[in-house]
Amino acid sequence: MTILILMPDRNVSEVVQALNVIDTDLEVRVWPDTGDKSDIEFVIVWDHPTGELKKYPNLKVIASFGAGVDHIFKDTDLPKQVPITKIVDKNLTRQMCEYVAGVIFNHRLRLTEYSEFQAAAIWAPKEARQGNNVCLLGLGNIGRCAAEYLTVLGFSVSGWSQSRKDIENVTTFHGEKSLGKAISDADYIVCLLPLTPNTENILDKTLFSKARKGAYLINVGRGGHLNEDDLLEALYQGQMSGACLDVFRTEPLPDDHPFWRHPKIHLTPHTASLTDIDQAATQFYENYQNMKDNRPLINQVDVTKGY
Ligand code: GLV
């Protein structure tokens, strides 16, 4: 029984080490040194090549190295019937909540603006921005936590999800038809959705046109949620006042991409929340044992929903 780590272009030595700390007898291989492919029963993946997972005849679990699983489903030639799991981790969730709150406070308090003023030795006090309404798109583990966190911080929070979710003190909406209504009062629109065919390009000119004029966008979902040209146009027209983006269609963001130097765009290099390797290793090991003992897996993805 062997675990394969299939994460091209990543240094995975810490993952191997973390697994071996938990169990020194674990047999862990690192792609492309797979050895006999029929030994592999459990694979840890991030951005694997399409069709690769079909080559392991005894594969029993596909485990995402992160909270997102869109990188798995973009493989159009996945082995059918092999369960897929994701990471659900309170530290990862907390980091995301802090990121979202931090971005909103940074914007309200104009901290980035003052950094620019400081660089030019300009003394220019301004009022803090007043916008207090936040709409979260996506109310899964992370979205729910962000909703609760922001509510405690005094924001008026609404949330939208595909299926109905009830959260105390949060006005929730669900289903495609209510998306416009959900965002209509928001000063801050935060995308925390999983990327699926239903949510791809959800941040587009239709959505921006339904937002309150001057709303601010925060995208911590995936680059594929955003229609980049529509955002540039909405910023140019003033329909959206600015955006903070952590995720992009192409990562790393190409040098000549207009987002790099756009005065209304603040960006971070996909760091809003990072997988904690020890936590991830603990969850992989738990599921590896579950698989061996024929017990239900933790954090299993609903393949029909794609998250
Ligand atoms: C990061 O983007 C993740 O999916 O964990």
Side-chain angles (χ1 to χ4, degrees):
M1 288 201 176
T2 302
I3 298 180
L4 176 70
I5 303 183
L6 204 182
M7 304 206 295
D9 304 326
R10 292 249 189 162
N11 179 352
V12 297
S13 53
E14 286 182 49
V15 186
V16 178
Q17 203 186 346
L19 285 166
N20 282 325
V21 166
I22 298 173
D23 183 345
T24 41
D25 293 333
L26 267 190
E27 158 99 13
V28 181
R29 295 186 198 158
V30 176
W31 188 86
D33 297 325
T34 60
D36 183 348
K37 289 189 168 49
S38 64
D39 295 341
I40 309 294
E41 290 189 301
F42 190 105
V43 64
I44 299 168
V45 281
W46 191 264
D47 249 338
H48 67 277
T50 288
E52 178 64 22
L53 294 172
K54 271 210 153 159
K55 299 180 185 162
Y56 303 84
N58 295 319
L59 194 58
K60 294 199 175 61
V61 178
I62 300 171
S64 169
F65 184 67
V69 287
D70 48 296
H71 63 102
I72 298 176
F73 288 114
K74 82 175 189 263
D75 180 345
T76 47
D77 199 16
L78 276 178
K80 305 264 179 299
Q81 319 297 350
V82 180
I84 297 173
T85 64
K86 62 183 174 183
I87 297 292
V88 178
D89 167 25
K90 63 178 186 334
N91 291 334
L92 190 141
T93 302
R94 185 190 160 138
Q95 272 182 61
M96 189 61 101
C97 297
E98 289 180 354
Y99 180 96
V100 170
V103 169
I104 295 174
F105 281 127
N106 177 52
H107 185 253
R108 273 169 61 119
L109 301 175
R110 303 176 186 275
L111 300 181
T112 303
E113 245 174 285
Y114 288 128
S115 294
E116 285 157 14
F117 290 171
Q118 181 178 351
I122 294 171
W123 182 271
K126 291 186 178 188
E127 295 237 316
R129 293 188 175 90
Q130 298 302 310
N132 203 52
N133 297 349
V134 183
C135 178
L136 302 169
L137 307 181
L139 294 172
N141 290 311
I142 297 179
R144 176 179 284 271
C145 171
E148 289 164 355
Y149 194 75
L150 292 166
T151 305
V152 170
L153 291 173
F155 291 97
S156 165
V157 182
S158 63
W160 178 86
S161 51
Q162 315 244 25
S163 55
R164 185 180 164 155
K165 303 273 164 63
D166 296 312
I167 307 172
E168 210 179 324
N169 299 321
V170 176
T171 312
T172 56
F173 300 84
H174 69 279
E176 213 174 304
K177 290 205 184 95
S178 67
L179 181 58
K181 188 158 173 21
I183 61 157
S184 60
D185 283 342
D187 301 297
Y188 296 94
I189 299 171
V190 184
C191 177
L192 284 157
L193 288 161
L195 182 64
T196 68
N198 285 336
T199 63
E200 187 159 9
N201 285 316
I202 195 166
L203 306 172
D204 66 352
K205 59 179 171 219
T206 310
L207 182 130
F208 300 142
S209 71
K210 291 180 180 155
R212 171 181 272 190
K213 191 167 170 65
Y216 188 89
L217 175 71
I218 301 172
N219 188 17
V220 280
R222 285 288 185 259
H225 286 126
L226 177 66
N227 182 314
E228 300 187 342
D229 289 339
D230 288 0
L231 175 64
L232 290 170
E233 182 60 22
L235 291 172
Y236 178 72
Q237 297 293 343
Q239 175 58 19
M240 301 298 289
S241 63
C244 178
L245 309 173
D246 184 57
V247 286
F248 304 91
R249 279 181 187 268
T250 309
E251 294 180 3
L253 190 64
D255 288 349
D256 58 353
H257 198 287
F259 286 174
W260 276 117
R261 287 160 199 91
H262 197 293
K264 294 181 177 173
I265 292 179
H266 191 85
L267 62 86
T268 48
H270 201 147
T271 47
S273 71
L274 299 173
T275 300
D276 176 292
I277 293 180
D278 293 331
Q279 250 306 317
T282 306
Q283 292 185 20
F284 296 141
Y285 189 68
E286 183 171 345
N287 265 340
Y288 177 72
Q289 297 297 344
N290 289 338
M291 171 203 85
K292 284 206 306 189
D293 300 345
N294 269 322
R295 285 193 304 258
L297 299 171
I298 57 163
N299 307 329
Q300 189 170 339
V301 168
D302 181 339
V303 179
T304 56
K305 289 186 178 162
Y307 57 92

